């Protein structure tokens, strides 16, 4: 989270010095997409990513990063899968190994309900034998959409075991647990999101417990109380002031609480 925000500020600083720097526009759009995927909703980040990607392409149409960012924005902000597919395919035409383009195409296929084809794209998005947490989270989310909840939970749990500071995986697990009525596990992941938002590091007790799998979930009744408090707190907070964890809790609790 901190590194992405630092990247955003540096791209913005570069554009103040040279507004015509297409690569800086493309890099900013890419970073905004990652930020949009990591927070509940993420619409504001995706809408800005679209504007910045379009600015990059107006300067240089040959930037795969900009086309891939535009694909994500078209899909998640505009709800326009055909336009998203076109942008993703253009990114891959420019660079067949482009990770963002491959991920965007996987999500287009998932939105179209073509889950096996979507999952088949993700191994092609890996650039090494190392696990990419972004790609692994894509896989977990698409597995869940495909009705493979247990596999999704295992996948996302492995991501947070390897990368306990990776906010997107905790948010995805919280949402999955809430939808499956695993209230204790959901409450813990939401607490983790709060801790990370407050600047927790790997030395934090909660982070170490989560990575080691040694944390204790609250009882269901206590978890339900905590989730209800989060939902009520989000509803009392002025627009823009609630955390992603609060908003996710409010949205799911309103549906299931």
């Amino acid at each position: 989270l901190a590194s992405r925000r630092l990247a955003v500020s540096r791209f913005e600083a570069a554009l103040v010095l040279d507004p015509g720097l297409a690569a800086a526009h493309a890099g900013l759009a890419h970073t905004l997409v990652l930020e949009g995927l990591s927070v509940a909703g993420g619409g504001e980040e995706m809408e800005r990513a679209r504007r910045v990607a379009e600015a990059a392409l107006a300067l240089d149409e040959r930037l795969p990063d900009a086309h891939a960012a535009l694909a994500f924005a078209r899909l998640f902000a505009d709800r326009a899968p055909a336009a998203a597919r076109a942008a993703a395919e253009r990114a891959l035409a420019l660079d067949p190994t482009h990770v963002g383009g491959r991920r965007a195409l996987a999500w287009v296929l998932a939105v179209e309900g073509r889950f096996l084809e979507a999952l088949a794209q993700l191994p092609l998005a890996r650039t090494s034998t190392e696990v990419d947490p972004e790609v692994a989270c894509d896989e977990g989310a698409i597995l869940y959409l495909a009705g493979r909840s247990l596999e999704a939970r295992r996948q996302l749990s492995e991501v947070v075991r390897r990368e306990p500071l990776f906010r997107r995986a905790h948010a995805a697990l919280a949402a999955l647990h809430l939808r499956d009525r695993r209230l204790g596990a959901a409450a813990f992941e939401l607490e983790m999101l709060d801790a990370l938002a407050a600047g927790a590091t790997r030395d934090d007790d909660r982070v170490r417990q989560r990575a080691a799998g040694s944390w204790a979930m609250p009882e269901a009744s206590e978890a339900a109380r905590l989730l209800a408090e989060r939902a009520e707190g989000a509803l009392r907070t002025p627009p823009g002031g609630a955390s992603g964890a609060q908003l996710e809790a409010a949205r799911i609790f309103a549906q299931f609480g």
Side-chain angles (χ1 to χ4, degrees):
L1 174 59
S3 62
R4 277 202 299 269
R5 289 178 177 169
L6 178 60
V8 167
S9 67
R10 288 184 173 173
F11 283 127
E12 289 172 338
L15 290 169
V16 169
L17 295 173
D18 184 357
L21 192 59
H25 283 288
L28 177 57
H30 169 73
T31 307
L32 288 168
V33 163
L34 294 179
E35 184 68 5
L37 290 172
S38 73
V39 299
E44 181 178 339
E45 291 81 3
M46 288 294 183
E47 288 175 6
R48 187 181 176 203
R50 181 189 62 230
R51 295 193 299 270
V52 176
E54 288 172 341
L57 295 171
L59 293 165
D60 186 349
E61 196 277 334
R62 299 166 298 171
L63 295 170
D65 275 357
H67 285 288
L70 185 60
F72 275 104
R74 291 295 190 205
L75 188 63
F76 291 111
D78 299 342
R79 303 292 193 266
R85 174 187 283 277
E89 290 177 344
R90 179 58 180 153
L92 292 170
L94 290 165
D95 179 2
T97 66
H98 194 267
V99 173
R102 192 65 63 184
R103 291 178 61 213
L105 182 57
W107 274 107
V108 170
L109 291 165
V111 167
E112 294 173 346
R114 298 161 64 182
F115 299 116
L116 290 178
E117 293 173 72
L119 291 168
Q121 292 294 320
L122 294 177
L124 303 175
R126 297 191 179 99
T127 57
S128 70
T129 57
E130 295 294 321
V131 174
D132 181 331
E134 293 285 355
V135 176
C137 275
D138 290 338
E139 184 175 354
I142 292 170
L143 283 168
Y144 184 79
L145 292 174
R148 296 159 64 177
S149 179
L150 181 58
E151 292 173 77
R153 192 160 67 242
R154 287 174 176 166
Q155 172 79 2
L156 293 167
S157 295
E158 179 63 15
V159 174
V160 298
R161 186 188 69 79
R162 290 172 175 266
E163 299 287 345
L165 304 182
F166 191 55
R167 186 174 60 165
R168 184 185 170 205
H170 290 289
L173 270 173
L176 188 155
H177 289 315
L178 284 163
R179 292 180 181 119
D180 287 351
R181 299 290 295 176
R182 295 168 53 87
L183 300 185
F188 183 85
E189 296 298 345
L190 290 167
E191 291 294 331
M192 283 295 304
L193 283 170
D194 283 345
L196 295 175
T201 68
R202 287 178 178 268
D203 293 328
D204 185 279
D205 285 343
R206 287 165 294 183
V207 174
R208 287 191 284 106
Q209 289 171 4
R210 183 63 184 87
S214 60
W215 47 276
M217 290 187 294
E219 295 292 332
S221 59
E222 175 64 7
R225 184 187 67 78
L226 292 170
L227 293 171
E229 285 181 358
R230 286 175 175 276
E232 291 167 4
L235 293 174
R236 290 194 302 268
T237 304
S243 72
Q246 285 178 310
L247 292 172
E248 186 68 19
R251 185 174 66 82
I252 303 300
F253 190 83
Q255 183 176 357
F256 294 111

